[in-house]
Amino acid sequence: IRADWIDYAAAGVSDPEQMTETALSVLSLVGMDRDVIDFGLACPPPNGDSTFGRQGLEARARVRERVMGNDLSTFVELFDVGAYNSRLSVAQNLIFGTPRREDFGLANLARNPEVLALLREEKLLDDLYATGAKVAGLMLELFADVAPDSELFDQFSFIRAVDLPEFRKMLARVAKGKLASMREDDKGRLLDLTFRLVNSQHRLGVIDDPMQRRIVAARARFQRHYQGREDVIEFFDPQRLSPAHSIEDNLLFGRVALEHAGARSHIAALVRDTAIEMGMEARLVRLGLAYEVGNSGTRLSYSQRQRLVIARALIKNPDILVFNEPTSGLDPASEARIVKAVLGWAGRRSVIWSLGRADLARGFDRVLVFENARLVEDGRFDELERAGNALSRALA
């Protein structure tokens, strides 16, 4: 089962390295070369590759320069260890890294004794509880008249409909000044509401500038306390690439403003182009070829699956290729490019292609036109076009 089952001779190559080069050539032929680089960017940085690590940090610095120089701050908010990031939640701003233990995960942070002790020492804990109470009050006010089964709860509410009565009781105790005497579990629920707030997304106005500065100060103390404890948290470090995040996230070192149309694709292109300029393309391509696409390609788009199937057919180097509308999921320009590229690659091979658009038949030596499952025309494209029959009607 562990044998090498690849038929290199059938593909016209002699070893795995040549097979990789052939794979890249056919992927480029069907317009997937950029996709492969994107797959590589979606992978974590390779371990033990100091050259790649150096290139990555240089690329990160260049991405930062371009974001700042081209005023792309509306599209992306870069990480700054000494500043609050409005596109991260309160909990993420506090941790400012990747939790390595379950009890430091964002779902458990509000009940973590060590975190609570640190926030208490910073004289921040009670204010975060109070902020959670404000959020709960806003939710109770906004959703007081909303039907319990409404989709609005899933889309916008921090609190489930079934939990509203319990939070109403909690707020009554807070209003009477009994926050300190509340059960720790109830206070944890209020803190959890605060921890989930994302300023750029929720815009509730409860995490103001002074509170942000206090959270950043608590972050600094948190990092001092757990410095070197990567078994607890791997902090965002501007001087190293993190294996816990994708290469793209490492190079960007920030968060994209998803509420802006086109921001994601624009920033992704900026990161990709910068990585290529820094000489990372060859390594990214190799990583991209090993990218896990899921069962039956479930992690690929429909267009990518179609183009990959065509590339798979080409790499087998067959004498006869038969395609049944394999480009139906592509835009017209991409479809025309791929048909032309495959015909150019085929040379003297035979290509039989069932086309969804009549104009794509222009590059073939012989055209057969069917109507209602019957052959009605047969000949060269230019001849049939001049004849003014079925093909010309389809082109009209």
Side-chain angles (χ1 to χ4, degrees), residues 34-225:
R34 192 181 73 172
D35 299 72
V36 173
I37 294 175
D38 287 342
F39 296 155
L41 285 166
C43 297
N47 290 326
D49 191 333
S50 58
T51 300
F52 189 89
R54 175 181 51 78
Q55 291 173 327
L57 291 178
E58 292 175 0
R60 175 188 288 176
R62 188 165 297 185
V63 167
R64 187 178 190 87
E65 290 174 4
R66 290 177 174 175
V67 168
M68 304 297 289
N70 295 315
D71 193 22
L72 295 175
S73 56
T74 56
F75 277 9
V76 62
E77 186 170 351
L78 300 175
F79 289 156
D80 183 341
V81 176
Y84 193 90
N85 192 297
S86 67
R87 305 197 181 280
L88 298 177
S89 68
V90 171
Q92 290 169 326
N93 267 287
L94 177 64
I95 294 294
F96 209 62
T98 304
R100 291 299 197 181
R101 277 180 15 197
E102 187 176 352
D103 55 334
F104 281 84
L106 301 184
N108 301 313
L109 204 64
R111 294 164 184 80
N112 184 309
E114 295 181 48
V115 173
L116 297 180
L118 181 145
L119 293 174
R120 190 174 291 109
E121 291 169 8
E122 286 289 311
K123 301 186 181 344
L124 186 58
L125 184 58
D126 286 343
D127 289 336
L128 293 178
Y129 285 145
T131 299
K134 290 180 184 178
V135 175
L138 289 169
M139 294 299 104
L140 288 171
E141 181 179 345
L142 291 171
F143 292 91
D145 299 321
V146 177
D149 58 350
S150 172
E151 294 181 358
L152 293 175
F153 278 98
D154 292 332
Q155 295 174 358
F156 302 109
S157 179
F158 282 65
I159 302 173
R160 298 181 306 167
V162 69
D163 294 329
L164 288 179
E166 188 62 32
F167 274 95
R168 191 171 286 109
K169 293 178 184 178
M170 275 193 267
L171 291 186
R173 291 194 288 273
V174 172
K176 294 178 180 178
K178 297 182 178 180
L179 176 60
S181 62
M182 288 176 60
R183 294 182 308 166
E184 291 301 316
D185 184 60
D186 286 343
K187 289 194 285 187
R189 295 173 77 179
L190 293 177
L191 184 58
D192 187 59
L193 294 182
T194 303
F195 276 171
R196 290 162 58 189
L197 283 172
V198 180
N199 268 16
S200 64
Q201 178 181 347
H202 300 123
R203 304 183 186 278
L204 297 178
V206 294
I207 305 295
D208 57 14
D209 290 343
M211 176 65 81
Q212 291 176 23
R213 289 193 290 270
R214 294 174 67 193
I215 291 171
V216 172
R219 172 201 297 172
R221 181 166 184 165
F222 203 88
Q223 291 185 330
R224 289 194 300 271
H225 187 77

